[in-house]
Amino acid sequence: MKTRQEAATGTIGCAAALLGTLAGTAAWLPHGRNALFGAFEGETNPAVLWLGLPVMALGGAATALAILAAAKRRGRLAAGLAAAVAGLAAFGYAFDVLAAPQALQDCGSPC
């Protein structure tokens, strides 16, 4: 049987993951809205939905859990989660998951 302290720790961890996911999604929203609803001549970029949103949501959750693990002085877990965040960031930069529609990227200074 779990103790109350273990139950509280689990609840705090779930709340941290949820808040991190919400923060990642909130950070994604401005980019996702512009790319999905065609900010320039109606052009859309659906890649932000199937790549950008999951990367930002998972990155937010992993970041929150890494901070929680570091605060609880669990170094190996915090380091592993930090490595996961770094991997997600590398994936995001490699595939440009927050990319604007191509027309916005090619438009130049008049836009």
Side-chain angles (χ1 to χ4, degrees):
M1 184 173 215
K2 289 188 175 187
T3 66
R4 285 183 184 231
Q5 183 179 7
E6 290 173 334
T9 300
T11 303
I12 291 170
C14 287
L18 177 65
L19 289 174
T21 300
L22 291 174
T25 303
W28 172 84
L29 276 175
H31 301 284
R33 184 178 12 177
N34 287 341
L36 288 177
F37 297 118
F40 182 76
E41 293 183 356
E43 186 177 337
T44 62
N45 184 8
V48 298
L49 185 62
W50 55 272
L51 272 178
L53 181 59
V55 167
M56 294 297 286
L58 288 172
T63 301
L65 290 173
I67 292 169
L68 183 64
K72 293 185 69 66
R73 300 187 190 274
R74 294 191 176 167
R76 293 181 78 179
L77 179 60
L81 287 166
V85 170
L88 284 168
F91 178 84
Y93 285 118
F95 288 98
D96 203 12
V97 297
L98 295 179
Q102 192 63 37
L104 283 178
Q105 293 173 353
D106 294 341
C107 184
S109 63
C111 294

